[in-house]
Amino acid sequence: MMATTHALLGMALALPVVVGAPELAPVAILAGLVGGLLPDLDLYVGHRRTLHYPVYGWLAAIPAIAATLVAPSAVTVGVAIALTAAALHAATDVAGAGLELRPWQAGSDRAVYSHYHDRWLTARRWVRYDGSPEDLGLASVAGVAVIGLAAEPAGPIAWGPVGALLAVSTVYVLLRKSLADLAVRLVRYVPASLKVHVPSRYLETGAVDGR
């Protein structure tokens, strides 16, 4: 899935807080946004492995949720939403395609690494690839839900990021396949000394790795 889809799903996790404790809506929305994006900070350092925890992520999120139910505050809500969004990100990557430059070719089944199972989990391809029409559809549903329920209590903190994320998502979907070819062409100009840091999915060989 697109990083923007993960961000919007993370923001949607804040909706129970928006309804039950609207005064905490801004922090909940922002926490969902940050938590939804956080795992993809490993994009060039062990992507879908270094910061992705599809099992262990929930071991951190569940106690945080419990703490929020016992003692709701801006801090407990923010931590719980962020951790849950990060865990959901890792788990839902299984619903997408494998780790490859052109995932619509279905050349890799490695969706996300599970440290608990000590192996790569198999891509289900319910969302055929990041930037597919169904990916945009999922992002749109989450975004509309956030705007519909959080626009009043959260204000610009809700509709501002949602609008930006949906705009970026739409452009990315329109350009997705051409961007793959562009990436390969641009990598040719990367100095040889730096190419060791470039994930092999961007190289001419078309190899796939977890870097």
Side-chain angles (χ1 to χ4, degrees):
M1 295 182 192
M2 296 181 287
T4 51
T5 302
H6 288 301
L8 288 163
L9 289 174
M11 294 172 75
L13 288 175
L15 294 181
V17 176
V18 171
V19 174
E23 70 279 7
L24 296 175
V27 69
I29 291 292
L30 287 176
L33 171 63
V34 172
L37 291 173
L38 182 62
D40 275 345
L41 291 180
D42 68 9
L43 184 61
Y44 293 102
V45 187
H47 187 37
R48 295 194 195 171
R49 180 170 183 162
T50 304
L51 295 178
H52 285 62
Y53 296 92
V55 176
Y56 289 135
W58 295 107
L59 297 182
I62 292 173
I65 294 171
T68 298
L69 295 175
V70 173
S73 69
V75 172
T76 57
V77 165
V79 171
I81 295 293
L83 290 176
T84 303
L88 181 66
H89 177 140
T92 53
D93 269 338
V94 176
L99 255 183
E100 54 188 315
L101 182 60
R102 299 177 178 86
W104 50 88
Q105 295 178 348
S108 171
D109 286 328
R110 296 195 301 181
V112 63
Y113 190 83
S114 171
H115 296 81
Y116 173 79
H117 296 96
D118 195 25
R119 63 179 175 83
W120 287 88
L121 301 182
T122 302
R124 301 299 183 183
R125 295 192 175 86
W126 298 327
V127 174
R128 290 172 296 159
Y129 56 89
D130 65 292
S132 64
E134 59 269 29
D135 196 359
L136 180 60
L138 184 59
S140 299
V141 169
V144 168
V146 171
I147 291 178
L149 291 175
E152 183 175 345
I157 290 177
W159 56 258
V162 169
L165 290 168
L166 288 179
V168 170
S169 298
T170 302
V171 172
Y172 182 75
V173 169
L174 292 173
L175 301 177
R176 175 63 177 95
K177 293 188 177 181
S178 60
L179 286 174
D181 297 329
L182 177 62
V184 171
R185 289 197 292 270
L186 291 178
V187 165
R188 297 173 187 170
Y189 299 99
V190 175
S193 60
L194 297 179
K195 281 190 176 180
V196 66
H197 301 295
V198 177
S200 61
R201 59 184 175 277
Y202 292 109
L203 302 178
E204 287 282 356
T205 59
V208 176
D209 67 9
R211 290 188 294 131

